[in-house]
């Protein structure tokens, strides 16, 4: 007599359940792949909208390493790139997502503050170039320590990265929260790699030219041409970087005033832009863009000059007075000793509880 199985139906349902589970996994995998495709497409679209600011970022950064020794250029660029990623992931990304979710009206004023800072940076560089041109020793660049240099570059990157991320956010504002997070994270990584990869190529181009110049024939000629051209290229990039600060900062302020219902400035620039576009035929698009760019840069220079003036009359003046007081309180570098305080000063500084003369 055969053995009786009390549950003959147990194995078939187990196999069927496993097949159903695998089918569900396959469906989820296809959905995840489609979602990744959608995120990639949205990130590409959002990044393309921010391409203008990416170019500005790539133009601004090389000026920070132009006075460094060749062997320190790539390590400094790496430190700035890491600082840029920290800016994007630990400051900008959480801030823009939370603000867009709960208090979206704060994004514009915060971005305008960043734009004003960019205008200040650009105007300060213009003023330094004008004020010290032709002065004794003014042509020598002040060598900064690496920590100070990286900190300044990362602060400037914070504003440019915020502009990039806000522009990208505007393109995906209708997406769900987690989709926005994923898209902006992709944009942050791609933009950072792109910008600082290009910067690294630019600043090391002369080293590549030097190696090529040690070969023979046309390759050596090309290498020598690269070596001769790079100082000019870096100087041009410095000028372009300064102009980019004024342009981007001014454009942020121009758009911000319009968002805050102060339309007169934006409408004036827009009217001139449209008139230039209509008057130049096939070149209308380019001419209109140039008009808007120049107007933004002029606005940036004006705002930046006002901020420089305020800073000079307040913070910089106090700093100069403190430095002068410190220098006056110590022995001079040439070995002479500062004059003793006057009798009036001595009487003024005397202890109040000193007994009067009888």
């Amino acid at each position: 007599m055969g053995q009786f199985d009390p549950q003959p139906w147990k194995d078939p349902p187990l196999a069927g359940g496993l097949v159903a589970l695998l089918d569900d996994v396959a469906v989820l995998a296809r959905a995840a792949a489609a979602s990744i495709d959608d995120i990639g497409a949205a990130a590409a679209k959002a990044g393309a909208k921010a391409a203008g600011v990416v170019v500005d970022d790539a133009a601004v950064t090389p000026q920070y390493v132009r006075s460094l020794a060749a062997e320190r250029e790539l390590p400094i660029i790496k430190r700035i790139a890491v600082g840029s990623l920290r800016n994007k992931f630990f400051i900008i990304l959480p801030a823009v997502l939370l603000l867009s979710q709960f208090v979206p009206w704060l994004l514009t004023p915060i971005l305008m503050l960043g734009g004003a800072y960019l205008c200040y940076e650009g105007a300060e560089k213009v003023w330094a170039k004008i004020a010290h041109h032709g002065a004794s020793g003014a042509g020598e660049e002040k060598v900064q320590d690496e920590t100070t240099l990286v900190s300044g570059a990362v602060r400037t990157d914070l504003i440019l990265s915020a502009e990039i991320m806000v522009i990208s956010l505007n393109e995906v504002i209708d997406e769900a929260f987690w989709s926005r997070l994923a898209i902006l994270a992709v944009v942050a990584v791609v933009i950072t790699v792109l910008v600082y990869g290009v910067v690294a190529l630019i600043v090391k181009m002369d080293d590549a030219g030097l190696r090529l110049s040690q070969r023979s024939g046309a390759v050596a000629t090309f290498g020598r041409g690269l070596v001769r051209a790079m100082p000019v290229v870096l100087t041009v990039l410095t000028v372009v970087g300064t102009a980019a600060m004024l342009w981007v900062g001014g454009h942020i302020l121009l758009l911000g005033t319009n968002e805050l219902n102060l339309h007169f400035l934006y409408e004036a620039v827009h009217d001139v832009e449209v008139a230039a576009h209509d008057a130049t035929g096939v070149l209308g698009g380019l001419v209109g863009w140039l008009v808007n760019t120049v107007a933004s840069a002029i606005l940036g220079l004006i705002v930046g000059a006002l901020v420089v003036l305020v800073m000079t009359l307040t913070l910089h003046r106090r700093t100069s007075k403190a430095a002068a007081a410190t220098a006056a309180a110590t022995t001079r570098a040439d070995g002479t000793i500062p004059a003793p305080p006057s009798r009036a000063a001595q009487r003024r500084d005397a202890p109040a509880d000193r007994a009067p003369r009888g």
Side-chain angles (χ1 to χ4, degrees), residues 212-294:
L212 292 176
S213 67
Q214 296 171 355
R215 300 192 179 185
S216 59
V219 174
T221 302
F222 177 72
R224 287 191 292 271
L226 279 180
V227 173
R228 287 193 297 268
M230 284 315 296
V232 177
V233 171
L234 289 176
T235 300
V236 170
L237 282 175
T238 300
V239 174
V240 171
T242 302
M245 289 180 181
L246 297 173
W247 166 36
V248 175
H251 194 63
I252 293 172
L253 295 176
L254 187 66
L255 294 179
T257 55
N258 190 56
E259 290 287 335
L260 296 177
N261 295 320
L262 302 173
H263 304 296
F264 67 96
L265 194 57
Y266 179 85
E267 289 177 352
V269 173
H270 181 69
D271 291 342
V272 176
E273 180 182 353
V274 170
H277 179 280
D278 295 340
T280 50
V282 294
L283 297 176
L286 175 62
V287 173
W289 177 82
L290 286 174
V291 167
N292 187 286
T293 298
V294 171

Side-chain angles (χ1 to χ4, degrees), residues 54-96:
V54 172
V55 173
D56 300 335
D57 205 354
V60 167
T61 306
Q63 64 184 293
Y64 290 101
V65 298
R66 63 175 301 180
S67 59
L68 295 177
E71 65 273 11
R72 296 304 304 158
E73 290 173 343
L74 290 183
I76 291 299
I77 291 172
K78 180 181 177 181
R79 288 179 63 185
I80 297 173
V82 171
S84 177
L85 283 175
R86 282 199 295 264
N87 283 342
K88 292 180 177 72
F89 279 97
F90 297 131
I91 300 176
I92 301 170
L93 186 56
V96 298

Side-chain angles (χ1 to χ4, degrees), residues 292-350:
N292 187 286
T293 298
V294 171
S296 298
I298 292 173
L299 175 62
L301 182 59
I302 293 172
V303 172
L306 291 174
V307 178
V308 168
L309 179 62
V310 171
M311 294 291 286
T312 301
L313 295 176
T314 55
L315 181 63
H316 292 173
R317 175 170 291 184
R318 287 198 300 269
T319 303
S320 299
K321 287 182 178 179
T326 302
T330 58
T331 302
R332 295 175 183 169
D334 59 1
T336 61
I337 300 175
S342 64
R343 291 183 178 274
Q346 292 178 12
R347 287 195 298 270
R348 185 181 66 246
D349 297 334

Side-chain angles (χ1 to χ4, degrees), residues 89-176:
F89 279 97
F90 297 131
I91 300 176
I92 301 170
L93 186 56
V96 298
L97 284 174
L98 291 174
L99 289 174
S100 65
Q101 190 76 15
F102 299 109
V103 280
W105 56 270
L106 266 181
L107 280 174
T108 296
I110 292 174
L111 198 57
M112 290 179 71
L113 287 175
Y117 176 78
L118 274 183
C119 295
Y120 164 72
E121 285 269 298
E124 189 177 43
K125 292 180 186 300
V126 172
W127 172 246
K129 188 69 175 176
I130 294 173
H132 299 296
H133 181 69
S136 175
E140 300 177 3
E141 293 186 3
K142 182 181 178 181
V143 179
Q144 296 180 332
D145 66 275
E146 292 185 359
T147 301
T148 302
L149 187 148
V150 171
S151 297
V154 171
R155 280 196 303 271
T156 300
D157 173 89
L158 178 65
I159 308 303
L160 291 171
S161 295
E163 172 75 350
I164 291 170
M165 299 297 281
V166 171
I167 291 174
S168 303
L169 175 66
N170 288 336
E171 293 301 310
V172 295
I173 195 67
D174 295 329
E175 300 285 341

